Amino acid sequence: MLKIDLAKAFDRLEWSFIVSALARKGLHDHFINLIHACISSPTFSVLINGQPSHKFKSSRGIRQGCPMSPYLFVIAINE
């Protein structure tokens, strides 16, 4: 029996792996570059005592709640 924690896998996908999975599907380079820009450009901040912290960037993973996330995850996990 194999048990996989997909919640952790969702956060640990490397962007380079997603890009290569999209390329293996035969998608156009321009489209892949647009997807990469969408998943790698967001910045985040955390509320501490009601005050936002300094912004920081993520280095991997797909944001939960993004409309593209489930599709990218399925493509990556099927590679």
Side-chain angles (χ1 to χ4, degrees), residues 4-15 18 60-66 68-74 77:
I4 300 173
D5 188 351
L6 292 180
K8 288 183 181 177
F10 200 77
D11 296 334
R12 300 196 187 281
L13 283 175
E14 296 288 337
W15 294 333
I18 295 169
R60 65 176 177 201
I62 304 173
R63 292 178 297 140
Q64 295 180 7
C66 175
M68 290 187 305
S69 297
Y71 302 109
L72 294 174
F73 184 74
V74 168
I77 203 167

Side-chain angles (χ1 to χ4, degrees), residues 42-69:
T43 57
F44 305 93
S45 66
V46 180
L47 288 178
I48 302 172
N49 295 326
Q51 299 296 322
S53 68
H54 294 287
K55 293 183 179 180
F56 59 93
K57 293 186 80 167
S58 176
S59 60
R60 65 176 177 201
I62 304 173
R63 292 178 297 140
Q64 295 180 7
C66 175
M68 290 187 305
S69 297

Side-chain angles (χ1 to χ4, degrees), residues 3-51:
K3 180 183 175 187
I4 300 173
D5 188 351
L6 292 180
K8 288 183 181 177
F10 200 77
D11 296 334
R12 300 196 187 281
L13 283 175
E14 296 288 337
W15 294 333
S16 59
F17 182 75
I18 295 169
V19 168
S20 64
L22 293 172
R24 284 191 296 274
K25 291 291 184 190
L27 298 173
H28 194 274
D29 288 339
H30 182 67
F31 180 74
I32 294 171
N33 290 337
L34 288 173
I35 296 294
H36 185 261
C38 288
I39 63 175
S40 64
S41 63
T43 57
F44 305 93
S45 66
V46 180
L47 288 178
I48 302 172
N49 295 326
Q51 299 296 322

